[in-house]
Amino acid sequence: MNRPGGSEAGFTLIEMLVALSVFAIAALALMRLDGYAISTAADLDARAMANLVVRNEAALTATDTGPIARGTTVINLSNGGRDFVVRKTISPTADRRLVRIDLVAQERSSGARSAMTMVKRVV
């Protein structure tokens, strides 16, 4: 509809509805992206904590001066307020002076895992 001045001003109702629907779709996409970012950050945090636990166990194993018992042991421990299950498997290598040690730490609540393999000299 033309105004007496000869120019149109403002938006029609259809234009406003289209603009609002485009804005709503963009807002929903951003909300889903935010949820994904939060869950990814939580997963990375759990993995980093499991990695810290497995590295701590590797340091303890490397510096342990006691006898080395071959086989698998399972240790339940708490670190940073989280519960972990650490599985340590010690197996012989081709060189009798060395043993292979496989460490796996898994957080009980999230299931985040970290693994490490190391070699230790047997005295």
Side-chain angles (χ1 to χ4, degrees):
M1 178 178 214
N2 288 336
R3 293 196 176 181
S7 66
E8 292 186 22
F11 298 103
T12 65
L13 181 60
I14 300 284
E15 290 171 334
M16 288 300 291
L17 288 174
V18 168
L20 283 175
S21 64
V22 168
F23 178 75
I25 289 170
L28 286 173
L30 287 175
M31 284 176 44
R32 291 198 65 203
L33 180 63
D34 186 43
Y36 178 74
I38 289 172
S39 67
T40 301
D43 183 48
L44 287 174
D45 180 52
R47 285 186 191 179
M49 192 60 150
N51 192 17
L52 178 70
V53 168
V54 81
R55 287 183 180 273
N56 285 344
E57 286 300 313
L60 289 172
T61 303
T63 58
D64 186 11
T65 57
I68 295 177
R70 290 176 175 83
T72 300
T73 56
V74 177
I75 306 164
N76 295 311
L77 57 90
S78 180
N79 194 339
R82 298 178 184 179
D83 294 324
F84 291 89
V85 176
V86 179
R87 181 178 311 272
K88 179 170 36 173
T89 305
I90 301 174
S91 55
T93 62
D95 186 346
R96 298 180 118 187
R97 297 171 295 172
L98 302 174
V99 291
R100 174 183 169 158
I101 303 171
D102 296 305
L103 296 162
V104 178
Q106 183 171 3
E107 186 179 8
R108 287 185 187 267
S109 61
S110 70
R113 301 174 56 130
S114 182
M116 175 183 244
T117 300
M118 59 185 280
V119 176
K120 183 175 179 180
R121 184 173 182 180
V122 180
V123 180

